[in-house]
Amino acid sequence: MASAAEQLASNLNFAAFAKAEDLKKRIWFTLGALFVYRLGTYIPLPGINPDAFAQAFQQQSGGVLGMFNMFAGGAVERMAIFALGIMPYISASIIMQLMTSVIPTLEALKKEGEQGRKIINQYTRYGTVLLALVQSYGIAVGLQGGNNIVTNPGLFFQISTVITLTGGTMFLMWLGEQITARGIGNGISLIIFAGIVAGMPAAISGTLELSRTGALSTGLVLAIMVLAVVVIAIIVFVERAQRRLLIQYPKRQVGNRMFQGDTSHLPLKLNTAGVIPPIFASSLLLLPATLAGFSNTQNLPSWASSILTALGHGQPIYMFLYGAMIVFFAFFYTAIVFNPKDTADQLKKHSGFIPGYRPGERTAEYIDYVLTRITVVGAVYLVAVCLLPEYLIAATGVPFYLGGTSLLIVVSVTLDTVAQIQGHLIAHQYEGLIKKSKLRGGKRGR
């Protein structure tokens, strides 16, 4: 079976793609949904003075707003109806994952299978609405506190802003679920991916413009391009890297026949935490500077100003804290999404075992030991990928879109989407082989 699958995968070509009608429909649906999303990032929020807001955003673009604007595809910069983006849903999902680890009722729901996951997903939607309401109200109050940003401030503006921004987030959540069900790839990830990619042409053209005006040397621009290619290659290699633990199943007897025990592998990803650690770390580090930017920085005490200066982009303390937080969240989130004890219990339930280790507690300890070791490598990889471009940004003024987090998201989502396309093509070719075999069988029967 494995050799047949490899042969089919090697024979994938455009002819096979042309025959896969269902796959083409899924791709067209995905592209149409992403077009609707991009269209919404240009529909402005009612009651906003665009010029005044653009000036205020320019002053805060180096903080959390700049990062959120990247994830929202420029919707924050234009204060569009999708300005909140899909981040409330991601935050609610992470909070729900944390709660399933500490609340026994939710943990029991998680183990119930599909029905339990549906209930947890519904709780996640409720959490998304709550977070979106709180964040949109904070945005409405913050906009009213700006200098002539809101044309008619008051209760009506606050209500309309809360309804519009919350509705935009809920629509994006629904759109992401539709892409997952009827399109290709993970819908939520593709929405973030589309937002980041949409801003990359402007970032690249800005870098080339700096080279044309002499602000950046041609050699430095070429070095940036080479570095980007190297970082992408490293991301592709590490995101596909796995540590496979050998799993054996005992011999079984059916009637008078004895069947040989099967073997399989338990794959452990080198980077189990994904892109969550750098997102969390950068959000927490940029939050103080953003909050200070909305207040009067002249009234801040000297110690607070010194802290804000030390937490600026490219500063040694910022780099150290950024790396330390990435390492912390890499271990923390890995512990949440992967439970060695549950995995060991599932293996024991299906009579599987790791050679040399007794089923149950000893197997869980061994899996935890291996997972901890590879998480160290994964955390070092995340720190290197995120800090190297961060240093480049601080030293040369390269646009924020070329940061390590954005490259990590783009490459990871691309790999996942390509893998799903290949899976659909392989399934389509298998169906074709089955139909041919049935036709041949029918002709022989006649």
Side-chain angles (χ1 to χ4, degrees):
M1 181 65 71
S3 60
E6 291 173 0
Q7 184 178 2
L8 282 174
S10 64
N11 292 334
L12 294 179
N13 50 37
F14 287 105
F17 175 79
K19 295 177 182 178
E21 295 296 332
D22 179 67
L23 177 59
K24 287 192 290 186
K25 290 179 181 179
R26 286 177 172 272
I27 291 177
W28 280 115
F29 179 85
T30 303
L31 293 176
L34 294 179
F35 175 78
V36 172
Y37 159 65
R38 290 302 304 156
L39 188 64
T41 60
Y42 287 90
I43 302 176
L45 194 69
I48 298 294
N49 183 346
D51 296 332
F53 178 77
Q55 184 177 1
F57 177 84
Q58 191 65 29
Q59 298 174 356
Q60 302 297 326
S61 59
V64 175
L65 291 182
M67 187 184 68
F68 284 172
N69 185 58
M70 178 188 70
F71 292 145
V76 177
E77 183 179 4
R78 295 181 284 272
M79 192 44 64
I81 59 175
F82 290 162
L84 277 182
I86 204 68
M87 295 306 291
Y89 177 77
I90 295 176
S91 301
S93 300
I94 295 172
I95 292 172
M96 190 56 61
Q97 287 178 340
L98 289 171
M99 294 177 67
T100 53
S101 302
V102 297
I103 299 179
T105 305
L106 292 177
E107 188 176 2
L109 280 175
K110 185 179 179 181
K111 296 179 180 179
E112 287 183 4
E114 185 63 28
Q115 189 62 30
R117 283 193 293 269
K118 287 182 179 179
I119 298 175
I120 292 177
N121 289 339
Q122 194 62 30
Y123 290 159
T124 303
R125 295 187 186 100
Y126 295 150
T128 303
V129 175
L130 181 61
L131 288 177
L133 287 172
V134 173
Q135 293 180 13
S136 58
Y137 177 75
I139 289 176
V141 173
L143 290 174
Q144 286 190 149
N147 187 16
N148 298 324
I149 294 177
V150 180
T151 54
N152 294 307
L155 182 61
F156 179 76
F157 171 77
Q158 293 179 8
I159 295 175
S160 64
T161 299
V162 169
I163 293 175
T164 303
L165 293 180
T166 303
T169 295
M170 299 310 296
F171 176 78
L172 287 181
M173 182 183 69
W174 174 83
L175 192 65
E177 292 176 349
Q178 294 301 309
I179 293 175
T180 303
R182 302 170 59 185
I184 286 290
N186 182 284
I188 303 299
S189 299
L190 282 173
I191 287 176
I192 299 176
F193 168 86
I196 296 174
V197 171
M200 281 190 170
I204 294 173
S205 64
T207 304
L208 296 177
E209 180 64 20
L210 291 175
S211 174
R212 188 187 66 83
T213 57
L216 292 177
S217 65
T218 305
L220 183 58
V221 173
L222 293 176
I224 292 171
M225 293 180 180
V226 172
L227 179 62
V229 173
V230 171
V231 170
I232 291 173
I234 293 174
I235 292 173
V236 171
F237 176 79
V238 176
E239 291 300 319
R240 295 171 66 93
Q242 294 178 345
R243 171 73 162 88
R244 295 184 176 185
L245 301 182
L246 179 64
I247 305 297
Q248 288 188 348
Y249 295 91
K251 296 179 180 180
R252 54 192 176 93
Q253 184 174 359
V254 179
N256 295 326
R257 299 185 61 184
M258 180 68 70
F259 290 89
Q260 184 68 28
D262 296 329
T263 60
S264 63
H265 292 88
L266 175 64
L268 300 177
K269 288 190 64 177
L270 197 62
N271 179 28
T272 307
V275 299
I276 297 300
I279 291 177
F280 268 32
S282 56
S283 299
L284 290 177
L285 278 177
L286 292 172
L287 188 59
T290 303
L291 294 177
F294 282 116
S295 62
N296 190 356
T297 55
Q298 296 180 353
N299 296 331
L300 291 176
S302 58
W303 62 268
S305 300
S306 301
I307 292 176
L308 289 176
T309 303
L311 292 179
H313 272 293
Q315 298 298 322
I317 295 181
Y318 172 86
M319 295 289 195
F320 173 78
L321 291 178
Y322 188 33
M325 285 185 176
I326 288 176
V327 173
F328 169 76
F329 283 118
F331 281 92
F332 180 73
Y333 195 70
T334 299
I336 292 173
V337 299
F338 191 94
N339 190 331
K341 187 176 184 302
D342 290 344
T343 304
D345 290 341
Q346 288 296 322
L347 289 175
K348 186 177 181 180
K349 181 180 178 182
H350 294 88
S351 303
F353 64 93
I354 298 176
Y357 298 90
R358 294 181 60 184
E361 186 176 350
R362 286 288 297 156
T363 299
E365 291 176 356
Y366 175 70
I367 294 175
D368 183 64
Y369 169 73
V370 175
L371 186 64
T372 301
R373 292 180 64 186
I374 64 175
T375 302
V376 171
V377 180
V380 172
Y381 145 76
L382 286 176
V383 170
V385 167
C386 294
L387 283 189
L388 185 60
E390 194 72 30
Y391 173 78
L392 190 63
I393 291 170
T396 63
V398 177
F400 185 71
Y401 279 92
L402 297 179
T405 307
S406 58
L407 285 177
L408 187 62
I409 293 174
V410 169
V411 176
S412 300
V413 175
T414 302
L415 290 175
D416 179 63
T417 306
V418 170
Q420 290 204 24
I421 292 175
Q422 290 179 343
H424 278 280
L425 287 175
I426 292 174
H428 175 74
Q429 290 196 352
Y430 266 126
E431 291 175 1
L433 291 175
I434 293 173
K435 288 180 181 178
K436 287 181 181 180
S437 63
K438 287 183 178 180
L439 289 175
R440 290 172 184 172
K443 290 179 181 179
R444 291 174 183 175
R446 293 176 185 175

